């Protein structure tokens, strides 16, 4: 199937065109149930094969810097304070004070009520926007459970956007999805996307968290990925980090395959964010290899790829310094968030 004007499509129009002009609950269900099933053994074998690939030493420095550049440095703790958010921002701005060549992270990711502190601490770096600045991402829609009325989810989103959030990380209603109420999930994503609209008519970017550890099957991960993209997701994201398993390589590979298929179908590039439990540089490099082999290296930019992680940066900085100086620094070299 080829869409007529794919790139210009508004979110709901994506679904209207793909479903042949018939945007009904039945059409959505038929479409999602009609997706080919996932061969779990084959998927896990492909992921295992990719995870054994090694990268050249000359590529290692590039890989470590790419991990930093595409990191959503995250603090999502009930005990977060304005002070912990200021420390998070300081780390985001200057990851390694001993090496001014160290890149900055893509974004800080915080709870909605912490957005004003992140925006204030970033100052001109937030206002700079784009690649020269650092984005503020806010989790919203009753994160991490997603258990609240739509009115509360929309208010949560609007408040974060009004406070200056550049990106909204929403969670889907897993209960509705698992009950087969695909239209409920679809409509909520469309409504949250609209709540991302700023007063000047621009939109905060929307990342849709599937919480894959609660979706039970790879087939469900595939359906939820398609559903989120059809409803207007700019990024699809694996996990909140609060449920185990969080990000895994097979699930990320599967979601990247959906993104690849969507791109082939429409020409539109959707971003991907694995999040939760990614702590070691060597694991993060496996994700980079998986991206390059699935959707291509062009996806390895902050516009299309993010790591959601609270402590990965510390390990990357250690590995980066080892590469630079030939030895690891002492344990006090990096701060623990
Ligand atoms: O979205 C990001 C996750 O909440 C971070 O999870 P993590 O603390 O396991 O790195």
């Amino acid at each position: 199937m080829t869409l007529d004007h794919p790139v210009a499509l508004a979110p709901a129009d994506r679904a209207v065109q793909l479903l042949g002009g018939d945007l009904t609950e039945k059409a959505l269900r038929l479409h999602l149930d009609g997706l080919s099933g996932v061969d779990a053994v084959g998927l896990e074998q492909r992921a295992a094969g990719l995870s054994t690939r090694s990268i050249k030493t000359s590529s290692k420095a590039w890989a470590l810097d790419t991990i930093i550049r595409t990191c959503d440095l995250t603090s999502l703790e009930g005990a977060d304070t304005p002070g912990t958010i200021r420390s998070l921002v300081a780390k985001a701005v200057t990851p390694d004070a001993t090496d001014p060549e160290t890149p900055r992270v893509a974004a800080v990711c915080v709870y909605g009520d912490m957005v004003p502190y992140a925006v204030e601490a970033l100052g001109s770096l937030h206002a700079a926007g784009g690649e020269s600045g650092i984005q503020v991402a806010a989790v919203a829609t009753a994160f991490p459970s997603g258990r609240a009325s739509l009115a509360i989810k929309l208010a949560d989103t609007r408040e974060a956007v009004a406070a200056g959030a550049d990106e909204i990380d929403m969670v889907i209603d897993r209960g509705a999805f698992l009950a087969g109420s695909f239209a409920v999930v679809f409509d909520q994503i469309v409504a949250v996307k609209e709540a991302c609209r700023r007063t000047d008519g621009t939109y905060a970017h929307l990342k849709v968290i599937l919480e894959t550890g609660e979706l039970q099957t790879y087939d469900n991960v595939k359906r939820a990925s398609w559903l989120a993209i059809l409803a207007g997701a700019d990024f699809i994201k694996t996990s909140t980090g609060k449920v185990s398993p969080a990000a895994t390589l097979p699930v990320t590979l599967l979601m990247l395959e959906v993104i690849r298929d969507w791109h082939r179908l429409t020409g539109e590039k959707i971003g991907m964010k694995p999040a939760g439990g990614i702590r070691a540089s060597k694991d993060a490099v496996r994700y980079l290899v998986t991206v390059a082999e699935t959707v291509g290296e062009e996806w390895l930019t902050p516009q299309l790829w993010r790591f959601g992680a609270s402590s990965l940066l510390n390990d990357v900085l250690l590995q980066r310094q080892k590469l630079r100086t030939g030895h690891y620094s002492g344990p006090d070299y990096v701060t623990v968030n």
Side-chain angles (χ1 to χ4, degrees):
M1 193 187 304
T2 306
L3 303 186
D4 289 333
H5 304 291
V7 179
L9 291 178
D13 293 340
R14 290 178 180 174
V16 171
Q17 288 230 16
L18 196 74
L19 305 180
D22 181 20
L23 185 51
T24 61
E25 181 159 8
K26 189 175 165 209
L28 189 59
R29 177 182 305 283
L30 280 174
H31 176 75
L32 296 176
D33 287 345
L35 295 170
S36 60
V38 179
D39 168 9
V41 174
L43 177 71
E44 288 174 2
Q45 279 175 349
R46 287 199 299 287
L50 288 164
S51 74
T52 60
R53 301 268 179 91
S54 52
I55 59 168
K56 290 184 209 148
T57 308
S58 57
S59 304
K60 197 167 173 189
W62 174 85
L64 293 174
D65 281 2
T66 300
I67 295 166
I68 299 174
R69 268 193 208 97
T70 59
C71 184
D72 281 6
L73 186 61
T74 299
S75 188
L76 295 171
E77 301 300 330
D80 282 341
T81 64
T84 58
I85 299 307
R86 284 186 204 107
S87 302
L88 184 81
V89 168
K91 183 86 179 279
V93 173
T94 313
D96 183 347
T98 70
D99 180 6
E101 299 295 311
T102 312
R104 295 186 183 119
V105 301
V108 290
C109 182
V110 299
Y111 274 111
D113 62 331
M114 293 287 113
V115 168
Y117 304 109
V119 168
E120 187 189 10
L122 280 167
S124 60
L125 271 177
H126 180 242
E131 284 195 57
S132 54
I134 293 179
Q135 309 292 297
V136 175
V139 293
T141 71
F143 180 97
S145 70
R147 300 252 64 85
S149 68
L150 180 58
I152 286 178
K153 292 179 183 186
L154 297 181
D156 198 18
T157 305
R158 288 192 193 107
E159 194 173 298
V161 173
D166 307 285
E167 303 174 354
I168 293 294
D169 289 25
M170 71 166 287
V171 287
I172 65 164
D173 181 338
R174 284 85 75 189
F177 179 87
L178 290 170
S181 302
F182 298 144
V184 169
V185 182
F186 180 92
D187 286 345
Q188 287 200 1
I189 297 170
V190 170
V192 172
K193 175 101 179 177
E194 195 46 38
C196 288
R197 194 170 193 272
R198 303 187 187 94
T199 47
D200 66 1
T202 61
Y203 285 78
H205 277 212
L206 180 63
K207 307 193 196 97
V208 178
I209 306 171
L210 309 182
E211 197 64 296
T212 53
E214 289 185 337
L215 294 187
Q216 300 170 357
T217 66
Y218 289 130
D219 283 344
N220 278 341
V221 172
K222 184 171 178 179
R223 280 191 201 100
S225 300
W226 273 97
L227 178 61
I229 293 172
L230 283 168
D234 297 306
F235 266 71
I236 49 176
K237 172 175 169 183
T238 60
S239 325
T240 61
K242 307 293 183 193
V243 165
S244 182
T248 68
L249 207 55
V251 156
T252 303
L253 172 59
L254 175 57
M255 291 168 72
L256 284 166
E257 288 175 349
V258 171
I259 287 170
R260 178 198 62 201
D261 292 347
W262 179 260
H263 180 240
R264 284 181 183 161
L265 190 65
T266 68
E268 190 180 20
K269 293 176 179 170
I270 304 296
M272 173 70 205
K273 177 175 172 182
I278 307 172
R279 304 207 165 89
S281 305
K282 65 176 176 2
D283 290 334
V285 169
R286 290 180 178 133
Y287 281 86
L288 297 185
V289 171
T290 302
V291 174
E293 294 291 323
T294 310
V295 284
E297 282 185 29
E298 62 181 313
W299 248 261
L300 290 176
T301 73
Q303 285 71 39
L304 291 170
W305 174 259
R306 300 285 178 86
F307 286 104
S310 58
S311 57
L312 172 64
L313 181 60
N314 285 342
D315 187 62
V316 176
L317 294 176
L318 282 173
Q319 303 308 325
R320 203 174 173 280
Q321 194 183 62
K322 169 93 186 322
L323 204 62
R324 195 162 54 93
T325 65
H327 57 83
Y328 289 113
S329 293
D332 295 334
Y333 171 65
V334 290
T335 58
V336 177
N337 292 317

